[in-house]
Amino acid sequence: MKLRDARRLTGPNLQGDGPGALTEVVFNAQESAPDAIMAWRWAMAEIEPLLPFPVGPLWVRLYPGGAALVCAAPIDALYSALLANEWAVAAAQARRNDLTCPCLHEALSEIRRTYAEEASPEMRALAAEAARRGVPFLWDDDFVSLGHGHRSRTWPRGAIPTIAAAPWSAVSAIPVLLITGTNGKTTTARLVTRMVGEAGHTVGNSSTDGLNLNGRIIDAGDWTGPGAARAILRNPKVEVAVLETARGGILRRGLGVESCDGAVVTNIAADHLGEYGIFDLDGMARAKGLVYTVVAESGYRVINVDDPHLCGLADEALDGVIYTSLLGPPNVGSRARRCGAVYLEGRALRRLWRGQVEDIIDVEDMPLAQGGAARHDISNALAACALATAIELPLEAMTATLADFGRRWSDNPGRGRMTSVSGVQVLLDFGHNPHGAEAVLSMAQTLSGATGRFGVCVAQAGDRTDDDLRALATVIGAAAPDAVYLRDLPEAYHRGRDPEDIASHLRAGLMTAGLPATRIHRATDEVDALRRGLQWALPGDLLVHLVHLERDAVEGCLRGLGATL
């Protein structure tokens, strides 16, 4: 057993329902995982009575080749508990290999020093009282908060009020929505955010673009983890929070909230498999499905029944469910007492809610739907309407949003954006994995028509496996594009891998799918690929730029070529 990583879990997580100290370990091929885990448990039992704080229970998530070993701990003792957990792993490893055990006395001395610095009885007492009163409590290394948004108060961790001095009558929860999934998270979050604003509420949104208040970015960057949730929920202007919740944040730290009013997993597909002990789609569904475990008793889980990996989660949900489907009205009658559905029937988006079927909008009136070609975005719209229903937004806010969203270039940056240059259509999209690319290319083939040609520009980050790269390329090759331009991503996305190596695997996947080598071209970056594609294309052709990241540079290039954005 060898230590691979150690980190704090600060919220509900895949191993347990609260904070803890996690060590990830790997086992060698000859090692008995159960025996190694038992040795760790014995070591934890040895150090636990000597710690200046309580720990436990112990949680174990076993996966092929390794395990996540967690000891639950108080919120003001997680760094100290992590030292104890690391000692227990090292002690178990040493004893199983007849090596000298790390000194317990030295470990305890370091743990006590660390605990003296992080201990905060005031914070723990305030957290316990907030739980007793049903008031949201947020904490981190710097700040402590009671309530959410405009019903919150925040203090530096060194100036926590006493229980008697806390403004209990001024703090409470606000509606909170969680959005996760392999693809479609950001578009769904943007749609819901617009619906909330259309209904007249001040909305805070965290996403891959940054922190957003009423449609305006207030802090750019990839904000999809627990820190992003806290930042939005501490903003004194926010009345409704729409929180994009990425897989990485869930697995690294846990969820950023302990309760929400609605949650959706948009879909489950292969991406980032092999990280944090998630090796298959069922495991990914369980990880992303963690958002459903914190839905309040009065809230709703939004479940896409078109996705086979989410149907199992639907079977587990006995109450408070809104189903979505592109395949007509789902059978909801026997599945839940408190349930509804949002679905596509013919060309209309409809809602079944409280026994009534209501029309939301016709696909032809939805700019985002591209006349019905963008079925993945129709699915995102269904999810958005279901979340809006969960917090009782008026139907008119959903209809107005869907009738307008997508008309402007700025509505959905980086995703599904269409323009034209001298009669050549250009589609920019973030589709960065096989599932996402397949959805975008299906739309592209519909838009290009039976006789139109289309080209694809693609790149990929260096943290994908060789198989991941080839799988993405195979999907592209299967669509039989007339030209493909392999480009490099910015250096920050190389992540230790030579761009030529990435390109070679993409090329191999394209050719395996039957694409002739003469259709595969090399470009340096996104702008270079765009220019090369436009030189190749004729009026009526379509260029699809996948993994679209260099927004400013591409927009500048398109404007210079006369495109209307």
Side-chain angles (χ1 to χ4, degrees):
M1 181 167 63
K2 181 180 179 181
L3 180 68
R4 177 164 56 187
D5 189 25
R7 59 186 183 273
R8 298 180 302 162
L9 296 169
T10 55
N13 55 81
L14 201 54
Q15 292 74 218
D17 59 2
L22 178 149
T23 54
E24 277 198 80
V25 298
V26 293
F27 306 118
N28 64 49
Q30 293 75 37
E31 191 170 17
S32 165
D35 289 349
I37 291 170
M38 183 58 69
W40 167 75
R41 288 184 179 276
W42 287 338
M44 284 299 304
E46 180 179 353
I47 196 172
E48 187 272 333
L50 306 175
L51 297 174
F53 51 85
V55 296
L58 301 182
W59 301 316
V60 175
R61 177 167 61 91
L62 188 64
Y63 49 82
L69 311 176
V70 182
C71 65
I75 57 177
D76 67 336
L78 292 180
Y79 286 112
S80 307
L82 203 54
L83 293 173
N85 198 344
E86 290 181 82
W87 177 86
V89 170
Q93 181 183 17
R95 289 165 180 168
R96 284 175 53 78
N97 291 281
D98 295 323
L99 301 174
T100 302
C101 186
C103 179
L104 178 59
H105 176 73
E106 291 180 2
L108 287 169
S109 295
E110 185 179 2
I111 289 168
R112 291 184 182 118
R113 285 194 300 270
T114 301
Y115 185 58
E117 295 175 359
E118 69 172 328
S120 177
E122 302 85 1
M123 183 171 72
R124 277 189 286 115
L126 193 65
E129 181 63 16
R132 189 184 73 81
R133 293 173 178 261
V135 172
F137 181 82
L138 300 174
W139 64 277
D140 54 36
D141 292 340
D142 300 313
F143 298 100
V144 168
S145 304
L146 291 173
H148 288 160
H150 71 118
R151 297 285 298 168
S152 72
R153 298 291 186 275
T154 300
W155 300 269
R157 186 158 165 169
I160 298 172
T162 64
I163 291 175
W168 296 108
S169 62
V171 295
S172 62
I174 63 172
V176 176
L177 300 174
L178 299 183
I179 299 169
T180 192
T182 302
N183 293 302
K185 296 185 294 295
T186 299
T187 298
T188 301
R190 288 170 176 165
L191 284 167
V192 179
T193 297
R194 182 77 66 86
M195 291 173 184
V196 174
E198 189 72 33
H201 305 294
T202 299
V203 56
N205 165 229
S206 62
S207 74
T208 52
D209 279 340
L211 303 179
N212 181 301
L213 182 66
N214 273 355
R216 180 175 61 87
I217 294 290
I218 57 177
D219 195 343
D222 189 350
W223 284 88
T224 54
R230 289 192 294 270
I232 290 296
L233 292 171
R234 284 173 174 161
N235 189 302
K237 297 180 180 179
V238 172
E239 296 173 339
V240 178
V242 179
L243 308 176
E244 185 177 333
T245 306
R247 164 208 59 91
I250 293 174
L251 292 170
R252 281 194 298 270
R253 298 293 183 202
L255 295 175
V257 296
E258 294 183 349
S259 178
C260 70
D261 300 275
V264 66
V265 182
T266 56
N267 46 63
I268 298 294
D271 196 22
H272 294 288
L273 293 179
E275 297 181 8
Y276 301 109
I278 303 298
F279 291 92
D280 56 34
L281 296 183
D282 287 339
M284 188 66 76
R286 287 192 295 274
K288 293 181 182 291
L290 190 67
V291 297
Y292 291 138
T293 68
V294 297
V295 174
E297 186 175 348
S298 59
Y300 287 88
R301 303 166 185 84
V302 175
I303 297 182
N304 174 8
V305 295
D306 297 340
D307 190 308
H309 301 285
L310 296 175
C311 286
L313 300 178
D315 292 339
E316 296 170 10
L318 300 178
D319 198 14
V321 187
I322 303 174
Y323 300 98
T324 68
S325 177
L326 290 169
L327 306 176
N331 178 17
V332 303
S334 62
R335 293 195 180 189
R337 296 185 300 277
R338 244 180 358 107
C339 67
V342 184
Y343 54 91
L344 179 67
E345 187 171 32
R347 304 291 290 178
L349 271 65
R350 294 197 166 105
R351 180 176 74 165
L352 170 62
W353 187 238
R354 293 173 179 163
Q356 300 295 317
V357 174
E358 303 165 291
D359 284 347
I360 301 173
I361 195 171
D362 192 280
V363 164
E364 297 296 335
D365 298 324
M366 276 179 61
L368 189 68
Q370 300 285 350
R375 289 183 64 82
H376 59 295
D377 276 331
I378 298 174
S379 182
N380 294 334
L382 297 175
C385 290
L387 287 174
T389 297
I391 57 172
E392 299 187 353
L393 295 183
L395 191 70
E396 293 77 13
M398 305 175 208
T399 301
T401 293
L402 295 179
D404 183 67
F405 191 93
R407 292 189 186 281
R408 290 166 296 278
W409 185 261
S410 59
D411 283 342
N412 202 18
R415 288 152 176 86
R417 298 200 294 183
M418 292 283 296
T419 188
S420 63
V421 176
S422 301
V424 178
Q425 295 291 107
V426 179
L427 170 63
L428 308 177
D429 196 273
F430 185 58
H432 63 294
N433 52 49
H435 179 265
E438 186 173 29
V440 175
L441 292 172
S442 175
M443 175 180 68
Q445 288 175 308
T446 301
L447 293 173
S448 63
T451 59
R453 302 186 309 163
F454 78 98
V456 178
C457 162
V458 68
Q460 186 55 287
D463 59 353
R464 276 15 184 227
T465 66
D466 295 351
D467 288 343
D468 291 338
L469 295 171
R470 290 174 181 253
L472 175 62
T474 299
V475 165
I476 296 170
D482 299 281
V484 176
Y485 298 88
L486 303 178
R487 70 177 201 272
D488 301 339
L489 290 180
E491 187 174 356
Y493 294 91
H494 294 175
R495 294 167 184 167
R497 190 193 278 251
D498 184 350
E500 287 300 328
D501 181 50
I502 297 173
S504 70
H505 285 289
L506 291 173
R507 179 184 294 272
L510 291 167
M511 295 181 69
T512 298
L515 203 69
T518 54
R519 295 190 187 183
I520 305 170
H521 313 281
R522 192 74 169 90
T524 55
D525 55 31
E526 197 165 344
V527 171
D528 180 47
L530 177 62
R531 291 188 181 279
R532 289 173 182 266
L534 288 172
Q535 289 172 0
W536 162 82
L538 300 172
D541 290 346
L542 172 67
L543 288 178
V544 181
H545 281 241
L546 296 173
V547 201
H548 170 48
L549 296 170
E550 299 173 68
R551 295 181 193 169
D552 291 343
V554 168
E555 287 180 16
C557 176
L558 289 170
R559 284 194 177 94
L561 294 169
T564 301
L565 308 183

